[in-house]
Amino acid sequence: MLPADTMHRILESFSVSHLCRLRTVCKWWRTFFSDPAFIEDHDTHQKPLVVVAVTGGHQIKAVKFVMLDLCTGNIVKQVPTFCSWGEDWAKVHVHHHIAAIAVDERCLRLHLADLESGAVSVVPNNLQVEHLQYSRSKASCVALVVGRATTGEHKALRVPCFISFFLPVSGRHGFHGPDGIASFDLGIEQWSLTLIHGPLSISNDDETYNFTSSDTLQLSALNGYLVFSHVPYHCDVMDLWFYEGRCPEDGRVLWCWAYSIERERINRMDPLWVLDKDGRLVMWDISGVLWMYDLRNNEFVDGSKLAEMSGNGKTSWSELKGAPAQVAKRKILADRPDVQVVLLPEGSFVTMEFNPKRVRVFVDHANLVAQVPKIG
Amino acid sequence: MAAPESGDGNNGAARMVTLISSDNTRFEVEAAAASLSQTLQLTILDGGGGGGDGIPLPNVDSATLSKVLEYCIKHAPAAANGGAPNATAVDRAELERFDNEFVNIDQSVLYSLIMAAHNLEIEGLQSLVAKKVADMIKGKSPMEIRRTLGFPDPTPEEQAEMNAHMLEYGWAYE
């Protein structure tokens, strides 16, 4: 028999749906799945980063979720579009494998998607009486968060407000004034009465930090830390601070300044995760492109290209042009066992719809690949 | 096998320790490599294992120990750098290649390696072998998994229980 802690390590690498299948293997394994310590570890181990990519120009045609290996940054899985709303606005918040998606500016039409199972449910849009006034307001920014309360359930919170955050560790969520941050406890469903001061208003006396109301301020959860980002108006620099809690002696709020990133249109980017392996920062921008930022050389790498290199998310095979058809087919299936490879003579008439699970390979009269095969 | 050489490397700064396998083979390695084992680390810090009196490892045979030490020697420089934040991509790729190659082994060897990694508490090796086993399990049916891991065949009672679970969680098998 394998030692229990080894078994624990082996099993925690499986996704929830895999574990359901593994339940039947033996009684001993089932004891793991109901052990709170295992569940806790499994949750932290399985923190698939999920990114939403909004594509299709002004009209949102697709909301795509990408799961990354948080150690290496390779794309593990791309979850196909759940639905197509034809709206021009979407707000998404993801916690573990639960995503909350709102497609109107006031978050009145809210969908919850379970990225493990693919199930999508619509949240009833009836507002609390005291919130009815917001149903007519034109507030264009609405904080939307989903998180796991200390009681274990997932809860979504929508508030017409300015900026938002969540702390997955304690299940607290919050919103702010200028840069004071209020927090909401999802477990007891109550606002905390004390504000957390942001890094801008508590910076050192000798180094005053100016900010204006036109600056871009954002809160995000990086690796379980609350992170405050600030992009001054008309500047291409983003500063990131990590929240370190309160000083045990005098109760002062501690922020650790971690990054200062320079890039054009940086205010259109969201920091998502710091990779465990090499400390690169994963960001995504508003047009849906995933970026890997390397602090050491201040370099941005297009994350979607990164995915191609790893093979998992590969969508085109330029190296196969001119290869024998059967070789190409084998290679494509080796990279993407999930797709169907269709061999067709060059110049064939084909239907124009996009199929993410199909690769058409056009071959010439000598049975060699005539065009770069790609998904579609 | 990269069995550690004994003797002439001793004049450098690297401190050497001696490990003795269950079948009484002596292995001399750098203390830094052996210290990847949490179990050995304390003994080594206390100054044990040097000179003539090695550290006996009654749970690990010589074949397994030489394999374990191969891993430790390879990983010791990176571990000394504290997770190697300044390691180059080439170094990392090389370690990854080494790891993949390293666990590409017979199942009985893998099993001894799991037990040794567990007994010696070598964090990196434990994760590596766990990942290897996880990969072996992936895509297999419960019965195949039992055979892969060498669990005894289920008793009729267990079989009935498995079937009941299959029914309950049938959707997971689709």
Side-chain angles (χ1 to χ4, degrees):
Chain A
M1 272 301 181
L2 295 172
D5 75 321
T6 308
M7 208 61 247
H8 186 120
R9 277 170 199 267
I10 294 169
L11 293 177
E12 75 180 5
S13 70
F14 286 95
S15 69
V16 174
S17 52
H18 264 103
L19 288 182
C20 288
R21 192 179 317 191
L22 294 176
R23 285 179 70 88
T24 55
V25 171
C26 66
K27 246 190 187 151
W28 185 42
W29 283 19
R30 279 199 293 284
T31 60
F32 277 104
F33 305 151
S34 43
D35 172 12
F38 177 80
I39 295 168
E40 179 75 15
D41 280 357
H42 182 262
D43 261 11
T44 41
H45 193 264
Q46 292 280 324
K47 27 183 189 189
L49 172 63
V50 188
V51 175
V52 56
V54 181
T55 54
H58 292 303
Q59 286 259 304
I60 293 166
K61 295 289 190 319
V63 178
K64 182 173 73 178
F65 296 90
V66 180
M67 296 196 184
L68 294 180
D69 177 331
L70 294 178
C71 181
T72 60
N74 292 338
I75 292 184
V76 178
K77 179 168 150 193
Q78 303 206 17
V79 182
T81 312
F82 283 109
C83 12
S84 169
W85 292 284
E87 300 281 343
D88 58 358
W89 199 91
K91 190 170 187 76
V92 180
H93 192 266
V94 181
H95 179 58
H96 291 263
H97 55 98
I98 304 287
I101 309 160
V103 291
D104 65 316
E105 298 194 352
R106 286 166 292 147
C107 290
L108 294 178
R109 286 157 57 207
L110 189 61
H111 303 250
L112 283 184
D114 183 332
L115 303 171
E116 276 288 346
S117 67
V120 179
S121 51
V122 179
V123 179
N125 71 353
N126 41 344
L127 291 169
Q128 298 278 341
V129 180
E130 60 266 39
H131 293 158
L132 272 179
Q133 51 174 308
Y134 296 115
S135 68
R136 283 179 298 277
S137 90
K138 287 273 185 273
S140 61
C141 280
V142 177
L144 171 66
V145 280
V146 58
R148 191 155 169 200
T150 41
T151 47
E153 315 128 286
H154 281 92
K155 293 184 180 178
L157 179 68
R158 53 186 172 193
V159 176
C161 197
F162 193 43
I163 63 173
S164 67
F165 77 79
F166 77 106
L167 263 180
V169 184
S170 60
R172 291 159 80 89
H173 292 68
F175 306 91
H176 99 139
D179 85 331
I181 301 161
S183 57
F184 185 81
D185 189 316
L186 282 183
I188 55 171
E189 299 187 6
Q190 258 178 23
W191 291 95
S192 157
L193 293 175
T194 46
L195 281 183
I196 301 168
H197 290 288
L200 302 185
S201 51
I202 60 162
S203 55
N204 295 336
D205 296 333
D206 49 328
E207 194 192 329
T208 44
Y209 207 100
N210 295 320
F211 70 103
T212 71
S213 58
S214 315
D215 294 2
T216 310
L217 300 178
Q218 256 190 119
L219 289 168
S220 36
L222 249 65
N223 304 37
Y225 287 93
L226 171 64
V227 168
F228 185 95
S229 64
H230 174 226
V231 181
Y233 186 56
H234 274 320
C235 276
D236 291 330
V237 178
M238 176 185 275
D239 285 313
L240 293 182
W241 284 268
F242 282 66
Y243 179 60
E244 301 205 311
R246 284 183 188 277
C247 175
E249 281 109 44
D250 54 11
R252 251 180 333 123
V253 176
L254 300 175
W255 289 93
C256 172
W257 176 79
Y259 290 92
S260 189
I261 308 167
E262 214 176 323
R263 187 183 165 77
E264 264 177 45
R265 302 166 85 81
I266 188 83
N267 61 336
R268 293 161 62 88
M269 288 177 119
D270 273 348
L272 285 169
W273 199 266
V274 180
L275 295 180
D276 298 347
K277 188 171 174 179
D278 49 18
R280 278 178 306 163
L281 180 65
V282 184
M283 306 183 84
W284 78 280
D285 73 24
I286 228 163
S287 58
V289 182
L290 202 59
W291 297 94
M292 304 283 161
Y293 169 70
D294 197 327
L295 180 69
R296 288 161 296 185
N297 51 12
N298 202 30
E299 208 172 74
F300 275 84
V301 178
D302 179 344
S304 45
K305 282 192 196 123
L306 200 95
E308 271 185 29
M309 284 189 280
S310 76
N312 282 325
K314 197 158 168 146
T315 54
S316 74
W317 287 261
S318 52
E319 73 278 16
L320 293 180
K321 195 175 168 190
Q326 289 306 326
V327 173
K329 182 172 178 174
R330 267 205 305 278
K331 175 76 178 77
I332 294 169
L333 285 176
D335 286 343
R336 289 284 304 263
D338 57 322
V339 302
Q340 188 196 0
V341 178
V342 188
L343 298 177
L344 292 164
E346 195 180 3
S348 303
F349 284 102
V350 293
T351 51
M352 292 306 291
E353 89 284 359
F354 180 82
N355 180 344
K357 294 280 173 204
R358 174 179 63 201
V359 177
R360 285 178 173 142
V361 179
F362 294 95
V363 295
D364 61 17
H365 55 275
N367 217 18
L368 300 177
V369 178
Q371 297 170 17
V372 174
K374 53 174 181 258
I375 296 273
Chain B
M1 229 24 83
E5 311 277 341
S6 59
D8 46 29
N10 256 345
N11 48 359
R15 188 186 142 200
M16 305 298 278
V17 291
T18 307
L19 306 177
I20 305 166
S21 68
S22 61
D23 43 1
N24 272 324
T25 313
R26 298 171 77 89
F27 291 83
E28 203 176 345
V29 282
E30 282 186 16
S35 297
L36 288 193
S37 154
Q38 297 286 321
T39 320
L40 294 178
Q41 201 175 40
L42 283 179
T43 319
I44 293 171
L45 281 179
D46 283 348
D53 45 295
I55 305 170
L57 301 171
N59 293 327
V60 191
D61 63 36
S62 59
T64 312
L65 186 55
S66 74
K67 188 91 179 135
V68 169
L69 292 177
E70 189 190 335
Y71 175 90
C72 291
I73 290 167
K74 188 80 186 175
H75 279 262
N81 273 340
N86 47 2
T88 64
V90 179
D91 289 344
R92 282 198 304 270
E94 163 61 18
L95 270 189
E96 208 169 296
R97 191 201 57 77
F98 171 85
D99 282 356
N100 286 337
E101 197 79 347
F102 186 78
V103 287
N104 196 3
I105 43 175
D106 206 59
Q107 212 164 305
S108 59
V109 183
L110 181 66
Y111 186 78
S112 338
L113 212 50
I114 291 172
M115 297 312 286
H118 172 71
N119 289 327
L120 296 170
E121 292 179 58
I122 303 169
E123 174 65 30
L125 186 56
Q126 280 182 291
S127 307
L128 180 63
V129 289
K131 188 172 167 295
K132 171 70 180 175
V133 177
D135 288 343
M136 284 162 50
I137 293 174
K138 253 167 219 161
K140 289 206 164 85
S141 73
M143 274 308 282
E144 286 171 323
I145 292 172
R146 288 184 74 110
R147 295 210 174 104
T148 307
L149 298 181
F151 293 173
D153 275 348
T155 61
E157 271 163 47
E158 280 178 308
Q159 184 65 55
E161 212 174 310
M162 276 170 80
N163 291 345
H165 267 277
M166 275 297 214
L167 278 181
E168 190 183 343
Y169 293 96
W171 50 268
Y173 296 85
E174 282 153 17

